[in-house]
Amino acid sequence: MSRLTDLPAWEQLQQHYETIKDVHMRELFAQDQTRFERFSKTFNEILFDFSKNRIDQHSLDLLLQLAEQSDVTGWREKMFAGEPINHTEGRAVQHTALRSPCAQPIYADGVRIDLEIKQELARVKALAERVRTRQWLGHSNQPITDVVNIGIGGSHLGPLMVTEALRPYSIHDLHIHYVSNIDENHINNSLESLNPDTTLIIIASKSFTTQDTMVNAQTAKSWLMKKLKSELDLPKHLVAVTSNAEAAVQFGIARENIFKMWDWVGGRYSLWSAIGLSIVISIGSENFDALLAGAHDVDEHFKSAPLAENIPVIMALLGVWYNNFFGSESIAVLPYDQNMHRFPAYLQQADMESNGKSCDRDGKDVDYTTGPILFGEIGIASQHAFYQLLHQGTKLVPADMLAPIANFHCIATHHRALMSNVFAQAEALMNGKTAEEVHAELTRQGMSESEIDMLLPYKVFPGNRPTNTFLFYTLNPRTLGSLIAFYEHKIFVQGVIWNLDSFDQWGVELGKVLATNILNEINIGKEVSNHDCSTNGLINYYLKRKPKSESNGS
Ligand code: G6Q
């Protein structure tokens, strides 16, 4: 038994699960015509419908008790108060401060931070506006046409996702590119059509030591230097965002071009900081302010709404319900807005790096399952790809669907068809199709009984597959900020319930260390024998066949 499984609500939920696990949502809807009103919430321009879940009021009440007994409110207070709740790294968790209007002093682990936040945001906006208004000139006095953000993980996925999602708000004669992969194809594909004279490179790395980013940064610097007359011109083309200013200076970045990051912002929660510089360049200061405001709206809601009204809390509890009681292993995130195509990838990191852990806050192995496998893609494309498994597979995959009521371009033929798919898929996943319904349908089509007998089992849909639906008026910066913050706080609440430190990421360390050692061995080039036979075999196979003519890339 553990702290979580000892809670009274846990045992009650286990008992309740036995009574509801075979109940079909069709029955729940038939019993309660007010189910949609009861199990949906609105927040500004966002509707959150969670009525298509395998819950009744008693399920929700017990889940809310679980949240109370797990002290979600206490942990929430600690986070907003800037206590070092990332205990394995001894750090506060204050990404919410980045989007606060900072009307009151804000602290991280006892140190005042709001003034520095304001100052850094003003610097970011000043640079962005100079680039956007063509006042920032390159070494040959030409304005910037292309910005390349070099970073990975948290220094990449958030900015990329937001820039893509808010594409209609971007400035048209400026192109933003993102490079993360150490695979030379990524940087080469990005730089090959660009002109160093009109390109600004952002090195985004909190630590300024990440191998992938440093190798790409070096390649980008060399690419610039082929065209620049001297290193003195570099400040016109190279800036950095980091908490390791000294390393950035050593790399050759001018001090005035270094934007600050802080220990109390986790990489995957950092798009609100100077790591979002590429976003501000793309959409401008006002729109970035709206993005921050949307997230701040949700912070206030999360901080003050009673648990039963609290959207991130409800999202989290539904996830716990399926993960820990139904044994569901994954969740799907399915945006029906093409511009949100990187939203699932972004959330994959946010969720899986935060709660993909098996050691609890007390240093003990958990005896329950924690973070789910999160996957997803654009909804429409996925309908023609993996929805088959969602509808008729053997696994229960709860899904979130997200769709805008109005598209930016307002083309009815496209948007109405899109929306009809959102509603139809959620309805089909919930209702399914019974054998009787299939029989009646095939009979209407004129099939014989023997033909029907053969085909019927394949055309039955079990249904009872849960979905949440988010409808928002339009994907504007404020709404996007709110949606991201909903998920951030959902992840936080789940981390509290599972008794995890959601803000460290030790699981990514081991591979990094091993890669550094193996890179040394590859550079030496001699046959290796110090690993297991598979790893030895792979390294030696590679060493024998690697091209003799590799360049050093610069
Ligand atoms: C995020 C993680 C990780 C990090 C990258 C990049 O929360 O810490 O994804 O963002 O490893 O790190 P740097 O920004 O330090 O290069």
Side-chain angles (χ1 to χ4, degrees), residues 7-26:
L7 294 176
W10 185 270
E11 199 187 325
Q12 287 170 289
L13 278 163
Q14 275 180 327
Q15 287 163 8
H16 174 64
Y17 166 73
E18 292 302 324
T19 67
I20 204 168
K21 68 179 197 301
D22 297 322
V23 177
H24 201 288
M25 277 191 277
R26 279 184 184 223

Side-chain angles (χ1 to χ4, degrees), residues 86-365:
N86 174 358
H87 81 289
T88 70
E89 296 183 303
R91 291 176 185 169
V93 173
Q94 273 292 27
H95 51 278
T96 55
L98 296 164
R99 54 235 192 175
S100 162
C102 295
Q104 304 289 331
I106 304 175
Y107 297 87
D109 207 4
V111 177
R112 188 161 176 190
I113 57 172
D114 52 303
L115 301 174
E116 257 193 318
I117 292 174
K118 271 190 184 163
Q119 198 182 359
E120 217 49 28
L121 181 58
R123 291 186 64 222
V124 164
K125 287 178 176 175
L127 182 147
E129 293 309 329
R130 282 180 65 203
V131 173
R132 289 167 59 82
T133 55
R134 305 168 74 89
Q135 292 173 53
W136 180 288
L137 302 177
H139 74 110
S140 56
N141 283 330
Q142 298 181 66
I144 298 299
T145 56
D146 294 90
V147 175
V148 182
N149 185 87
I150 297 179
I152 197 162
S155 302
H156 166 75
L157 285 162
L160 168 65
M161 180 275 286
V162 173
T163 302
E164 288 291 299
L166 298 179
R167 185 182 271 267
Y169 296 83
S170 65
I171 195 161
H172 293 304
D173 49 4
L174 250 179
H175 306 284
I176 319 284
H177 314 260
Y178 289 90
V179 173
S180 61
N181 197 337
I182 200 165
D183 175 0
E184 67 214 43
N185 286 323
H186 204 178
I187 192 145
N188 285 344
N189 293 349
S190 301
L191 297 183
E192 70 186 359
S193 58
L194 305 187
N195 177 359
D197 297 343
T198 55
T199 300
L200 178 69
I201 308 268
I202 303 171
I203 314 293
S205 176
K206 183 176 167 185
S207 61
F208 223 81
T209 57
T210 306
Q211 185 193 42
D212 322 68
T213 302
M214 290 304 107
V215 170
N216 279 324
Q218 197 56 58
T219 299
K221 186 177 164 191
S222 305
W223 175 80
L224 286 173
M225 286 314 300
K226 280 185 191 153
K227 201 79 186 278
L228 268 48
K229 288 177 206 82
S230 91
E231 291 233 349
L232 294 176
D233 286 332
L234 266 179
K236 294 174 179 157
H237 297 273
L238 194 58
V239 304
V241 184
T242 186
S243 58
N244 186 357
E246 291 318 311
V249 169
Q250 280 212 333
F251 180 82
I253 296 180
R255 234 172 242 285
E256 68 272 18
N257 281 1
I258 299 174
F259 296 87
K260 204 168 178 180
M261 271 280 282
W262 301 274
D263 270 357
W264 42 263
V265 193
R268 55 195 174 276
Y269 298 91
S270 67
L271 70 89
W272 322 99
S273 71
I275 287 288
L277 174 59
S278 56
I279 304 174
V280 193
I281 294 175
S282 176
I283 64 173
S285 302
E286 269 183 39
N287 285 321
F288 192 71
D289 281 342
L291 182 83
L292 298 180
H296 179 68
D297 292 342
V298 169
D299 295 340
E300 290 297 300
H301 164 80
F302 177 56
K303 214 189 307 189
S304 58
L307 296 186
E309 301 300 322
N310 205 308
I311 294 175
V313 172
I314 295 169
M315 290 166 71
L317 292 173
L318 292 168
V320 169
W321 183 225
Y322 296 116
N323 187 72
N324 295 97
F325 297 92
F326 283 79
S328 171
E329 297 206 320
S330 54
I331 59 167
V333 176
L334 308 163
Y336 277 77
D337 182 311
Q338 185 61 32
N339 291 337
M340 291 178 84
H341 70 113
R342 298 308 289 163
F343 194 68
Y346 162 77
L347 276 187
Q348 203 163 50
Q349 182 194 19
D351 199 317
M352 292 168 76
E353 205 166 69
S354 298
N355 288 337
K357 294 168 188 167
S358 53
C359 184
D360 71 11
R361 284 186 165 273
D362 307 313
K364 299 206 177 80
D365 280 349

Side-chain angles (χ1 to χ4, degrees), residues 84 107 117 197 294 329 344 350 357 415 418 455 467 470 494 516 519:
Y107 297 87
I117 292 174
D197 297 343
E329 297 206 320
K357 294 168 188 167
H415 203 67
L418 174 85
L455 204 52
T467 52
F470 287 93
Q494 292 188 330
T516 308
L519 178 59

